[in-house]
C-alpha cells in the first residue's frame, strides 16, 4: 500500500525567541569573532516540513577554513595561551558551564533543532538537547582525570643504568570536526565535549542541511567563557568547506561522522599530511527477535522504534529485522500496526510523532529505495512512499519478501524503512547478520542468557543491545566495526582519540 495524502500539514510558526534568532544575520565564528564569509556568499536553510527557506547561513569556503585553522593554530601553538595553561579543574568547570547553558536554553534549542531538521520538538526536548548537555557534563569530569603511568623499565642493553619513565597525555592539536544533520546539536556535542576535555582546538563544520543549532551553540560557548579561537565554527557545503578542512595541512586530525562513501574520501583527503582520522559511518544494523523474547509486545515496540525513531535517520537504525519463524507473523503484524499508528506532522506541531525527512535529497533517496524494493520484488506491507505534496514526509515502511541481494537489504537507506525476514537457526542468523560491510550496531531479543551472550559475542558490531535498542549514553563507547568506522565516540574511550601518549624517560 502506498500512502499518499493531499491534505497539507498545518503551518506552525516558531516562537518569538526563535524568530529573533532567525532574524539575525548568520556569520562564521572565527578567532572569537562572528565574521562574514570571505566570499560574501550565503546558502539557504530550509524548513523540511514545508520546503520553504527559513534562513540564510554564511557560505564558508577554502579561505574561511584557512582563516579558522590559523585562528586555532594561534591558540594551540602558543604554550602561554590561556587555553594551553588553563588548569584541568578550570577547564572542567568551563565545560560543565556549557552543559548548564544548554539546559538553560533547552526549549529554544529544541525548537530550533525541530525547525531545521524536522524532528518532533518533543523528541529534541527529551533526547537531543538533554543528551547534548549531559555529554558536556560527563566530559567535564574527565578534564581532571587524564593521567599517565609510571613504568618500570629494564633496558637490557644498558645494564646497571637507572631510569625513571612515565607517560603523559597531551592534546593532539587542531582538529577538524565534520558532522551530519541527523542529530545536529548532539553530534556537535559528541565531537566538542571530548575535544575540550583534552585541551584541543577545533574547526567545526556543521552539515549544510542543519547549521542553526551549531551557530547557537557557538554563542553558548562564548557565554560560557571559552577563550577566543578554541572552537571555530564554519558553516558551508561539504564539497567546498568540508573538503578544504579534511585536506588542510594545518589540521592535525579530522573527526568525521557521515556516510561510509564520504568516509573513504576523507581518508584520501587526509593523506596529504597524514593527519589522524576518526570516523563514525553508516550501518545496516540487524535486529534479531527470538521466539523466547521476554515480552513479545515489548520486542515489537522496540523493533518499531529501532527503525522509526528519528525517521530512521540514525546510523544505528535497526533496519534489518530478523524474526524467529514461530513469532514472525505476530511481529510483522505488530510492526505494521505500529507504523500505521505513527502520527506524521511538522516537528513543531503538537502531537507529532514523526516529522519530515531532512531534505529533498533525502526524500528522493529514500523514496528511490522504496521504489527499488518494489521493483526488485519486495512486498510493501505498509508505507512505501511519500506523504503529501509539500515538505519531505514519507510513510513508515515495512518490506517483506526480500532477498540478500536486494539494494534495500544491502544498503543504508537512512529513512523509516525496515526489511523483515524470518529465520530458524541461530548459527545461520548470526552469519546472515554479519553478512554486511557494516558493523555499527545490532539488537538481540531473548530471555536465554547463554544465547544472548553467544550472539552478542559473535555479532561483528560496535554496540549490541539485548532486549532493548537505541540505548546511548555519554559513558558508553559508540562506534563501528568494519566499514562503520574507526575509533569510538563517548565514554572514556574517546579520550584516547583526542590525546597523544608521550613517553618520558629520565636517566638517573
Ligand atoms: P554526508 O556524509 O555527505 O555529510 C556529512 C557531513 O560531511 C556534512 O557536514 C557534509 O557537509 C560533509 N561533507 C560532504 N562532502 C564532503 C567532502 N567532500 N569533504 C568533507 N566533508 C564533506 O551525508 P549526506 O550526503 O548528507 O547523506 C547521504 C547519506 O549518508 C545518507 O543517506 C545516509 O545514508 C548517510 N549518512 C550517514 C550518517 C551517519 O550518521 N552515519 C549521517 C548522515 C548521512
Ligand atoms: Mg552530502
Amino acid at each position: 500500500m502506498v500512502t499518499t495524502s493531499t491534505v497539507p500539514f498545518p503551518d506552525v510558526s516558531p516562537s518569538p525567541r526563535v524568530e529573533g534568532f532567525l532574524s539575525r544575520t548568520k556569520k562564521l565564528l572565527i578567532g572569537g569573532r562572528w565574521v562574514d564569509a570571505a566570499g560574501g556568499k550565503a546558502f539557504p536553510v530550509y524548513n523540511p516540513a514545508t520546503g520553504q527557506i527559513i534562513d540564510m547561513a554564511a557560505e564558508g569556503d577554502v579561505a574561511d577554513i584557512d582563516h579558522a585553522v590559523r585562528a586555532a593554530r594561534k591558540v594551540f601553538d602558543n604554550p602561554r595561551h590561556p587555553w594551553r595553561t588553563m588548569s584541568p579543574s578550570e577547564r572542567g568547570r568551563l565545560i560543565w558551564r556549557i552543559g548548564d547553558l544548554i539546559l538553560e536554553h533547552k526549549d529554544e534549542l529544541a525548537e530550533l533543532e525541530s525547525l531545521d531538521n524536522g524532528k518532533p520538538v518533543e523528541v529534541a526536548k527529551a533526547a537531543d538537547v538533554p543528551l547534548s548537555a549531559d555529554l558536556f557534563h560527563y566530559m567535564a569530569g574527565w578534564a581532571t582525570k587524564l593521567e599517565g603511568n609510571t613504568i618500570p623499565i629494564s633496558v637490557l642493553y644498558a645494564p646497571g643504568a637507572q631510569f625513571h619513565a612515565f607517560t603523559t597525555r597531551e592534546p593532539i592539536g587542531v582538529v577538524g570536526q565534520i558532522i551530519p544533520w541527523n542529530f545536529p546539536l548532539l553530534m556537535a556535542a559528541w565531537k566538542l565535549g571530548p575535544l575540550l576535555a583534552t585541551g584541543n582546538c577545533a574547526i567545526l563544520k556543521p552539515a549544510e542541511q542543519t547549521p542553526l543549532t551549531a551557530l547557537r551553540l557557538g554563542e553558548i560557548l562564548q557565554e560560557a567563557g571559552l577563550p577566543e579561537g578554541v572552537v571555530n565554527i564554519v558553516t558551508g557545503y561539504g564539497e567546498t568547506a568540508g573538503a578544504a578542512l579534511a585536506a588542510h595541512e594545518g589540521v592535525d586530525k579530522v573527526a568525521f561522522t557521515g556516510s561510509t562513501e564520504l568516509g573513504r574520501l576523507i581518508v584520501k583527503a587526509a593523506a596529504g599530511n597524514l593527519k589522524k582520522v576518526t570516523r563514525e559511518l553508516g550501518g545496516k544494523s540487524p535486529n534479531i527477535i527470538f521466539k523466547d523474547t521476554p515480552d513479545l509486545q515489548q520486542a515489537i515496540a522496540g523493533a518499531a522504534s529501532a527503525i522509526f525513531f528519528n525517521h530512521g535517520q540514525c546510523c544505528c537504525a535497526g533496519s534489518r529485522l530478523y524474526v524467529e519463524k514461530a513469532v514472525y507473523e505476530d511481529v510483522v503484524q505488530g510492526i505494521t500496526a505500529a507504523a500505521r499508528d505513527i502520527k506524521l506532522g511538522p516537528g513543531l506541531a503538537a502531537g507529532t510523532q514523526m516529522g519530515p525527512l531532512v531534505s529533498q535529497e533525502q526524500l528522493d533517496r529514500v523514496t528511490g529505495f522504496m521504489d527499488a524494493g518494489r521493483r526488485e520484488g519486495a512486498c510493501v506491507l505498509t508505507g512505501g512512499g511519500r506523504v503529501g505534496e509539500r515538505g519531505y514526509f514519507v510513510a513508515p515502511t515495512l518490506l517483506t519478501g526480500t532477498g540478500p541481494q536486494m539494494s534495500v537489504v544491502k544498503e543504508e537507506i537512512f529513512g523509516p524503512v525496515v526489511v523483515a525476514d524470518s529465520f530458524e537457526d541461530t548459527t545461520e542468523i548470526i552469519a546472515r547478520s554479519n553478512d554486511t560491510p557494516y558493523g555499527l550496531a545490532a539488537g538481540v531479543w531473548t530471555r536465554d542468557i547463554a544465547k544472548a551472550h553467544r550472539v552478542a559475542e559473535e555479532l561483528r558490531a560496535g554496540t549490541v543491545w539485548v532486549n532493548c535498542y537505541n540505548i546511548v549514553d555519554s559513558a558508553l563507547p559508540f562506534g563501528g566495526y568494519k566499514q562503520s568506522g574507526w575509533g569510538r565516540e563517548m565514554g572514556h574511550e574517546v579520550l584516547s582519540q583526542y590525546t597523544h601518549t608521550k613517553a618520558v624517560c629520565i636517566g638517573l
Side-chain angles (χ1 to χ4, degrees), residues 316 439-443 459 461-465 471-472 476-481 488:
C316 55
L440 194 59
L459 286 171
T463 296
V464 178
W465 288 297
I471 300 300
V472 296
L476 203 57
F478 183 88
Y481 281 37
R488 292 293 176 268

Side-chain angles (χ1 to χ4, degrees), residues 62-139:
V62 179
D64 307 286
I65 290 291
D66 188 55
H67 183 190
V69 172
R70 279 186 284 113
R73 285 248 73 98
K74 203 169 143 196
V75 173
F76 193 81
D77 293 339
N78 174 5
R80 269 173 283 287
H81 189 278
W83 179 241
R84 305 287 281 127
T85 57
M86 189 179 285
S87 73
S89 163
E90 201 182 334
R91 204 165 67 235
R93 275 178 282 139
L94 197 160
I95 299 167
W96 187 272
R97 263 200 307 281
I98 297 168
D100 281 352
L101 284 169
I102 290 174
L103 289 182
E104 224 170 86
H105 298 285
K106 184 167 108 181
D107 291 350
E108 180 194 352
L109 286 165
E111 202 184 327
L112 211 48
E113 200 73 312
S114 169
L115 190 63
D116 201 4
N117 163 282
K119 65 179 70 197
V121 65
E122 292 308 324
V123 170
K125 244 185 244 181
D128 298 65
V129 181
L131 287 176
S132 303
D134 186 66
L135 200 285
F136 283 104
H137 285 148
Y138 171 85
M139 287 297 167

Side-chain angles (χ1 to χ4, degrees), residues 136-172:
F136 283 104
H137 285 148
Y138 171 85
M139 287 297 167
W142 278 112
T144 48
K145 295 165 193 70
L146 299 168
E147 299 170 351
N149 297 308
T150 53
I151 302 172
I153 56 175
S154 305
V155 201
L156 299 185
Y157 54 82
Q162 296 282 304
F163 300 94
H164 174 54
F166 59 95
T167 55
T168 58
R169 306 276 294 278
E170 295 183 353
I172 285 179

Side-chain angles (χ1 to χ4, degrees), residues 19 26 49 64-65 81 92 142 147 263 280 282 326 345 355 411 451 498:
E19 291 280 16
K26 302 298 174 298
D64 307 286
I65 290 291
H81 189 278
W142 278 112
E147 299 170 351
E280 198 253 282
E411 292 177 42
K451 185 160 63 187
Y498 282 93

Side-chain angles (χ1 to χ4, degrees), residues 179-181 205 208 238 242-243 256 258-259 262 281 315 362 365 412:
I179 56 171
W181 42 259
K205 211 295 283 169
E208 54 269 41
F256 169 75
S259 58
L262 208 58
L281 306 175
C315 45
Q362 287 306 111
R365 186 182 155 89
E412 179 176 57

